[in-house]
Amino acid sequence: MDSSAKKYFNLGITAHQKGNLKEAEEFYRQALQSDPKHADANHNLGVLGLSTGQHDAAIPFFMTAIGANPEEAQYWVSCLTALLNVKK
């Protein structure tokens, strides 16, 4: 993993945990600038999308996370959740 991607991802986690969603999104996006296939950053951007009702926008992030690490069950669960919410 790219060191700057890791740094920005960790900053995103901290902001996310503190409820600073906009700041978390910015850090996750910076992580993706360094490593576009960063599975966790993609997943967490998708999670942010779900939490703000942007289910359509979340799906590509989940799909990228799945492509990078298809063995991670949580990525699949999150993606299916977004797809089900889009169908509603």
Side-chain angles (χ1 to χ4, degrees):
M1 177 189 311
D2 180 285
S3 64
S4 61
K6 183 176 182 177
K7 177 183 95 172
Y8 287 122
F9 175 71
N10 288 332
L11 289 169
I13 289 286
T14 300
H16 202 162
Q17 290 172 337
K18 290 180 179 180
N20 300 328
L21 302 185
K22 187 66 179 161
E23 184 178 328
E25 178 183 358
E26 291 172 15
F27 284 129
Y28 293 145
R29 289 186 184 279
Q30 286 178 318
L32 293 183
Q33 285 180 356
S34 296
D35 181 2
K37 295 192 184 287
H38 189 292
D40 290 327
N42 273 290
H43 178 258
N44 286 9
L45 275 170
V47 169
L48 287 175
L50 283 180
S51 71
T52 59
Q54 299 173 346
H55 308 289
D56 285 329
I59 293 169
F61 291 113
F62 293 139
M63 296 302 292
T64 301
I66 290 168
N69 186 2
E71 301 300 317
E72 180 58 54
Q74 184 58 53
Y75 299 165
W76 290 94
V77 171
S78 297
C79 189
L80 290 171
T81 299
L83 289 168
L84 288 171
N85 281 309
V86 168
K87 289 285 189 181
K88 289 183 180 179

